[in-house]
Structure formats: C-alpha cells, structure tokens
Amino acid sequence: MLGCLHSVEPKKFIAALQKISDQTYNSIFTVQQMKDIARDINITVVDFEGFVSSLNNQGFLLKKGPKIFQLQTAGY
C-alpha cells in the first residue's frame, strides 16, 4: 500500500502527467521531473520512489531505464 496516500492523489498526479504529455507531445518523464510536477500540484509523498513504483506496477507508468518512465495513458 502507499501509506497515507489517498486514492485521489495518484489520479491527480497521472492527470497532471497526461496534461504535460499532451502539451509537449512527450510521454517520457524522469523521476526528478515527476517529483517537481508532484510538488507543483501539492502532492506530498514520503516515499516518492515507492509511489512511482506502485504506479508502474498498476500499469500507469512503464519503466524505460534508470529513473526514467513512460506514461502509458499517452499516445506518444
């Protein structure tokens, strides 16, 4: 489980990634970029790597390399 993470936070986070992906035509994000995005939309996660790993396990993100993930809901 994601600890104290509420179910709305992953949805909000994925929606923010989707919006950026749509604007930039790029679905690849580094962990640092995702941390910055989470901070910008006021999502605080104690274990951010665990949060990203959970989203990877759920199929929202695909690990492409060390600290690089691809958003799977984007068509790019």
Side-chain angles (χ1 to χ4, degrees), residues 46-73:
V46 175
D47 178 12
F48 193 80
E49 302 263 346
F51 176 66
V52 169
S53 179
S54 176
L55 292 172
N56 179 54
N57 291 338
Q58 294 175 53
F60 291 106
L61 297 173
L62 177 65
K63 186 167 184 154
K64 299 297 275 187
K67 298 188 180 268
I68 299 171
F69 290 83
Q70 182 174 20
L71 179 64
Q72 292 301 285
T73 59

